[in-house]
Amino acid sequence: MAPKLWQWLLTLSADVTVVAEERTTCSGCVTVMATEDPNQTVVSHFFLEGLMYTAEHPSFFFLLFLLIYSVTLTGNLLILITVASDPHLSSPMYHFLGHLSFLDACLSTVTVPKVMAGLLSLDGRMISLQGCAVQLYCFHFLASTECFLYTVMAYDRYLAICQPLHYPVAMDRRTCAGLAGITWALGAVHSATHTSLTFRLLYCGPNRIAYFFCDIPPVLKLACADTAVNELAMLASIGVVAAACLILIIFSYGFIAVAVLRIRSAEGRQRAFSTCTSHLTVVCLYYLPPVCIYLQPRSSGAGAGAPAVFYTIVTPALNPFIYTLRNKAMKQALRRLLGQGSAAGSPPPQPVLGLS
């Protein structure tokens, strides 16, 4: 009796081992891990479907994205180097612009190279589960940090214009560094929370992500589990927070507009309103798409990627032109950096309006 029982236990143990072994299926060349633990992830690779209409003319869109990516990196890195090396650009506004340029360069790097790889071959659209998690974390870390940074920059402009006498004390070097550090810390916590919530779920079936990068809404659609908690967390900490930041920015620029209307010089008012309009345009391009996307998580799809293009690809390329290259002090600093300017001792910009 004992030998038969022992033989039966050995057979059962062998069966369990076979069930836990890795097996490869060919549903879109996806590796599936079959395990006893139902909480473990079973899909090891995803397929990014990319942007709509790009598959019809891949060479054209590859060159277009390559051009945009080159402009983004060149413009933002040039601004970052200029702000770091020029002593005339030491005001808080330029300190925050340096952070913004670094964020834009990194944010574009998280998404655009993968889109370009997908335009070259179908293999370029494949991404591992770990790679998807890393991309999702990096994207939300950088994007949420930039979201908070825009709010801090609006607050900085509010203090500089509406309370110019109190500005040097309220926004000293220590406060400036502290506010920038808080934006990075909040972005890291925010991204870690959503990444852990997203990839704690079971992914056992479809592997085609109807998007051009790993984002929360399209990834959640592939989960083999209830995503109500994830959608609620996404609504609360992404949609509502982004909308609240946008409202704070609008209120800040509302107070700025009132202060600008008190300027007696018509030319001064025109320049101030022009700059504020440009800033608000970039802010709206960055904030409105994610608010719409994350407040309606089930609307994600290949067509839903179009709004995300604005704040992932277009806005990082526009920011160097709108925030810095239109600024006279920044252009003078760029000439000094490139050895084209003669007035190396030109006075720094006035901190009140931050305008050229």
Side-chain angles (χ1 to χ4, degrees), residues 319-336:
N319 278 347
F321 300 96
I322 295 178
Y323 271 101
T324 56
L325 296 183
R326 293 185 60 188
N327 186 288
K328 184 177 180 180
M330 179 61 69
K331 288 190 288 187
Q332 291 176 350
L334 285 172
R335 294 190 188 100
R336 287 193 293 269

mmCIF file of all heavy atoms in Angstrom, residues 319-336:
data_model
loop_
_atom_site.group_PDB
_atom_site.id
_atom_site.type_symbol
_atom_site.label_atom_id
_atom_site.label_comp_id
_atom_site.label_asym_id
_atom_site.label_seq_id
_atom_site.Cartn_x
_atom_site.Cartn_y
_atom_site.Cartn_z
ATOM 1 N N ASN A 319 7.385 73.836 -26.692
ATOM 2 C CA ASN A 319 7.756 74.568 -25.482
ATOM 3 C C ASN A 319 9.026 75.412 -25.618
ATOM 4 O O ASN A 319 9.060 76.547 -25.127
ATOM 5 C CB ASN A 319 7.894 73.596 -24.305
ATOM 6 C CG ASN A 319 6.552 73.267 -23.681
ATOM 7 O OD1 ASN A 319 5.557 73.933 -23.953
ATOM 8 N ND2 ASN A 319 6.513 72.235 -22.863
ATOM 9 N N PRO A 320 10.091 74.913 -26.266
ATOM 10 C CA PRO A 320 11.279 75.783 -26.399
ATOM 11 C C PRO A 320 10.986 77.081 -27.141
ATOM 12 O O PRO A 320 11.574 78.124 -26.832
ATOM 13 C CB PRO A 320 12.259 74.897 -27.189
ATOM 14 C CG PRO A 320 11.844 73.505 -26.886
ATOM 15 C CD PRO A 320 10.351 73.557 -26.769
ATOM 16 N N PHE A 321 10.090 77.041 -28.109
ATOM 17 C CA PHE A 321 9.773 78.238 -28.876
ATOM 18 C C PHE A 321 8.860 79.177 -28.097
ATOM 19 O O PHE A 321 9.062 80.395 -28.065
ATOM 20 C CB PHE A 321 9.106 77.851 -30.209
ATOM 21 C CG PHE A 321 9.969 76.996 -31.082
ATOM 22 C CD1 PHE A 321 9.840 75.620 -31.079
ATOM 23 C CD2 PHE A 321 10.930 77.561 -31.903
ATOM 24 C CE1 PHE A 321 10.634 74.824 -31.884
ATOM 25 C CE2 PHE A 321 11.739 76.775 -32.715
ATOM 26 C CZ PHE A 321 11.587 75.397 -32.705
ATOM 27 N N ILE A 322 7.854 78.617 -27.455
ATOM 28 C CA ILE A 322 6.846 79.463 -26.812
ATOM 29 C C ILE A 322 7.341 80.013 -25.485
ATOM 30 O O ILE A 322 7.136 81.191 -25.172
ATOM 31 C CB ILE A 322 5.546 78.665 -26.614
ATOM 32 C CG1 ILE A 322 4.962 78.307 -27.986
ATOM 33 C CG2 ILE A 322 4.526 79.450 -25.801
ATOM 34 C CD1 ILE A 322 3.699 77.489 -27.927
ATOM 35 N N TYR A 323 8.032 79.178 -24.702
ATOM 36 C CA TYR A 323 8.440 79.612 -23.365
ATOM 37 C C TYR A 323 9.762 80.360 -23.341
ATOM 38 O O TYR A 323 9.985 81.185 -22.462
ATOM 39 C CB TYR A 323 8.542 78.402 -22.437
ATOM 40 C CG TYR A 323 7.251 78.082 -21.736
ATOM 41 C CD1 TYR A 323 6.441 77.051 -22.181
ATOM 42 C CD2 TYR A 323 6.832 78.800 -20.628
ATOM 43 C CE1 TYR A 323 5.255 76.746 -21.537
ATOM 44 C CE2 TYR A 323 5.654 78.517 -19.985
ATOM 45 C CZ TYR A 323 4.868 77.482 -20.440
ATOM 46 O OH TYR A 323 3.693 77.196 -19.809
ATOM 47 N N THR A 324 10.648 80.060 -24.270
ATOM 48 C CA THR A 324 12.000 80.596 -24.127
ATOM 49 C C THR A 324 12.507 81.337 -25.350
ATOM 50 O O THR A 324 13.032 82.439 -25.232
ATOM 51 C CB THR A 324 12.981 79.458 -23.793
ATOM 52 O OG1 THR A 324 12.888 78.453 -24.807
ATOM 53 C CG2 THR A 324 12.655 78.834 -22.453
ATOM 54 N N LEU A 325 12.376 80.748 -26.527
ATOM 55 C CA LEU A 325 12.983 81.357 -27.696
ATOM 56 C C LEU A 325 12.303 82.659 -28.100
ATOM 57 O O LEU A 325 12.865 83.438 -28.862
ATOM 58 C CB LEU A 325 12.968 80.366 -28.867
ATOM 59 C CG LEU A 325 13.809 79.101 -28.648
ATOM 60 C CD1 LEU A 325 13.792 78.234 -29.894
ATOM 61 C CD2 LEU A 325 15.242 79.464 -28.287
ATOM 62 N N ARG A 326 11.099 82.908 -27.599
ATOM 63 C CA ARG A 326 10.447 84.186 -27.845
ATOM 64 C C ARG A 326 10.857 85.231 -26.808
ATOM 65 O O ARG A 326 10.464 86.387 -26.900
ATOM 66 C CB ARG A 326 8.917 84.015 -27.814
ATOM 67 C CG ARG A 326 8.358 83.179 -28.961
ATOM 68 C CD ARG A 326 6.853 83.172 -28.917
ATOM 69 N NE ARG A 326 6.327 84.529 -29.029
ATOM 70 C CZ ARG A 326 5.045 84.849 -28.859
ATOM 71 N NH1 ARG A 326 4.180 83.908 -28.550
ATOM 72 N NH2 ARG A 326 4.641 86.095 -28.984
ATOM 73 N N ASN A 327 11.634 84.830 -25.836
ATOM 74 C CA ASN A 327 12.074 85.728 -24.774
ATOM 75 C C ASN A 327 13.386 86.383 -25.170
ATOM 76 O O ASN A 327 14.357 85.711 -25.534
ATOM 77 C CB ASN A 327 12.250 84.923 -23.479
ATOM 78 C CG ASN A 327 12.570 85.800 -22.303
ATOM 79 O OD1 ASN A 327 13.664 86.317 -22.207
ATOM 80 N ND2 ASN A 327 11.623 85.939 -21.402
ATOM 81 N N LYS A 328 13.431 87.713 -25.113
ATOM 82 C CA LYS A 328 14.608 88.461 -25.558
ATOM 83 C C LYS A 328 15.842 88.106 -24.739
ATOM 84 O O LYS A 328 16.937 87.947 -25.289
ATOM 85 C CB LYS A 328 14.325 89.964 -25.477
ATOM 86 C CG LYS A 328 15.447 90.826 -26.011
ATOM 87 C CD LYS A 328 15.064 92.295 -25.962
ATOM 88 C CE LYS A 328 16.183 93.174 -26.504
ATOM 89 N NZ LYS A 328 15.808 94.623 -26.461
ATOM 90 N N ALA A 329 15.677 87.975 -23.431
ATOM 91 C CA ALA A 329 16.819 87.629 -22.578
ATOM 92 C C ALA A 329 17.360 86.245 -22.922
ATOM 93 O O ALA A 329 18.574 86.023 -22.915
ATOM 94 C CB ALA A 329 16.411 87.693 -21.108
ATOM 95 N N MET A 330 16.460 85.306 -23.227
ATOM 96 C CA MET A 330 16.903 83.970 -23.586
ATOM 97 C C MET A 330 17.643 83.975 -24.920
ATOM 98 O O MET A 330 18.675 83.302 -25.080
ATOM 99 C CB MET A 330 15.709 83.017 -23.648
ATOM 100 C CG MET A 330 16.075 81.597 -24.042
ATOM 101 S SD MET A 330 17.218 80.806 -22.893
ATOM 102 C CE MET A 330 16.148 80.634 -21.463
ATOM 103 N N LYS A 331 17.166 84.742 -25.874
ATOM 104 C CA LYS A 331 17.840 84.816 -27.166
ATOM 105 C C LYS A 331 19.225 85.444 -27.022
ATOM 106 O O LYS A 331 20.182 85.016 -27.671
ATOM 107 C CB LYS A 331 16.981 85.591 -28.163
ATOM 108 C CG LYS A 331 15.740 84.821 -28.617
ATOM 109 C CD LYS A 331 15.031 85.500 -29.770
ATOM 110 C CE LYS A 331 14.313 86.752 -29.330
ATOM 111 N NZ LYS A 331 13.486 87.314 -30.420
ATOM 112 N N GLN A 332 19.348 86.462 -26.160
ATOM 113 C CA GLN A 332 20.655 87.047 -25.915
ATOM 114 C C GLN A 332 21.596 86.035 -25.255
ATOM 115 O O GLN A 332 22.777 85.962 -25.588
ATOM 116 C CB GLN A 332 20.519 88.285 -25.038
ATOM 117 C CG GLN A 332 19.837 89.465 -25.721
ATOM 118 C CD GLN A 332 19.629 90.636 -24.783
ATOM 119 O OE1 GLN A 332 19.828 90.516 -23.569
ATOM 120 N NE2 GLN A 332 19.231 91.776 -25.348
ATOM 121 N N ALA A 333 21.060 85.247 -24.338
ATOM 122 C CA ALA A 333 21.882 84.232 -23.676
ATOM 123 C C ALA A 333 22.313 83.149 -24.666
ATOM 124 O O ALA A 333 23.441 82.648 -24.600
ATOM 125 C CB ALA A 333 21.100 83.606 -22.520
ATOM 126 N N LEU A 334 21.433 82.788 -25.594
ATOM 127 C CA LEU A 334 21.794 81.806 -26.616
ATOM 128 C C LEU A 334 22.906 82.341 -27.515
ATOM 129 O O LEU A 334 23.818 81.605 -27.890
ATOM 130 C CB LEU A 334 20.557 81.453 -27.453
ATOM 131 C CG LEU A 334 19.517 80.543 -26.793
ATOM 132 C CD1 LEU A 334 18.271 80.433 -27.657
ATOM 133 C CD2 LEU A 334 20.107 79.163 -26.539
ATOM 134 N N ARG A 335 22.833 83.639 -27.862
ATOM 135 C CA ARG A 335 23.899 84.223 -28.676
ATOM 136 C C ARG A 335 25.229 84.221 -27.923
ATOM 137 O O ARG A 335 26.285 83.970 -28.508
ATOM 138 C CB ARG A 335 23.515 85.652 -29.082
ATOM 139 C CG ARG A 335 22.322 85.734 -30.025
ATOM 140 C CD ARG A 335 22.161 87.136 -30.578
ATOM 141 N NE ARG A 335 20.930 87.276 -31.336
ATOM 142 C CZ ARG A 335 19.824 87.829 -30.870
ATOM 143 N NH1 ARG A 335 19.800 88.310 -29.620
ATOM 144 N NH2 ARG A 335 18.740 87.926 -31.615
ATOM 145 N N ARG A 336 25.176 84.532 -26.637
ATOM 146 C CA ARG A 336 26.417 84.497 -25.840
ATOM 147 C C ARG A 336 26.968 83.077 -25.767
ATOM 148 O O ARG A 336 28.177 82.860 -25.846
ATOM 149 C CB ARG A 336 26.151 85.038 -24.430
ATOM 150 C CG ARG A 336 25.960 86.539 -24.365
ATOM 151 C CD ARG A 336 26.011 87.023 -22.922
ATOM 152 N NE ARG A 336 24.871 86.537 -22.152
ATOM 153 C CZ ARG A 336 23.719 87.194 -22.016
ATOM 154 N NH1 ARG A 336 23.562 88.366 -22.612
ATOM 155 N NH2 ARG A 336 22.746 86.703 -21.285
#
